[in-house]
Amino acid sequence: MATPLPAIPRQKTRSLIGRVLKNKMQKTIVVQVDTVYKHPKYKRYVKTSSRLMVHDEKNECGVGDVVEILQSRPLSRHKRYTLNRVVKPMPHIKDYIDPAHVSSDPTKFLPSTYTSTAPLSSATKDDPLGYVKENLQQSK
């Protein structure tokens, strides 16, 4: 009878931290992971970034969130990571807008020169350059 093989210890899964760039796909986010390393020959620090497609089962991430991702088996052609947790959610603009202060009139915030119906100059059919004469008289 053959003796059973000893159990091979599993390697730790790779854990990375990055920022969410896109979340438009269903159950998928694009995360940018920045790494800094010292160049072996030139002894300078080099910053590199990689964009990874990550599986987000609950669609809980927003653009700008800082997330922790774990390496996993291939889930699709490009997805090799899964979302572990949201480290720091990005405060979105909709959290700061009070619906009571939102106006339905978009011209409310424009200067009066854009919204007034008065003619911009004293130009007429007879004098198409009337506004030039006005500006010359005002500058004297």
Side-chain angles (χ1 to χ4, degrees), residues 16-18 65-69 83 85-89:
L16 299 170
I17 294 195
D65 292 350
V66 177
V67 295
E68 181 183 8
I69 58 176
L83 177 69
R85 64 187 176 106
V86 178
V87 177
K88 182 180 175 189

Side-chain angles (χ1 to χ4, degrees), residues 70-124:
L70 297 175
Q71 191 173 21
S72 66
R73 65 179 179 83
L75 299 170
S76 69
R77 181 178 169 192
H78 297 290
K79 285 200 285 188
R80 304 289 188 268
Y81 289 87
T82 56
L83 177 69
N84 186 25
R85 64 187 176 106
V86 178
V87 177
K88 182 180 175 189
M90 178 74 174
H92 297 288
I93 190 79
K94 63 184 176 186
D95 299 335
Y96 295 105
I97 295 177
D98 185 14
H101 293 97
V102 177
S103 173
S104 61
D105 183 19
T107 61
K108 179 180 177 182
F109 301 105
L110 291 176
S112 61
T113 56
Y114 293 114
T115 57
S116 66
T117 57
L120 296 176
S121 67
S122 63
T124 60

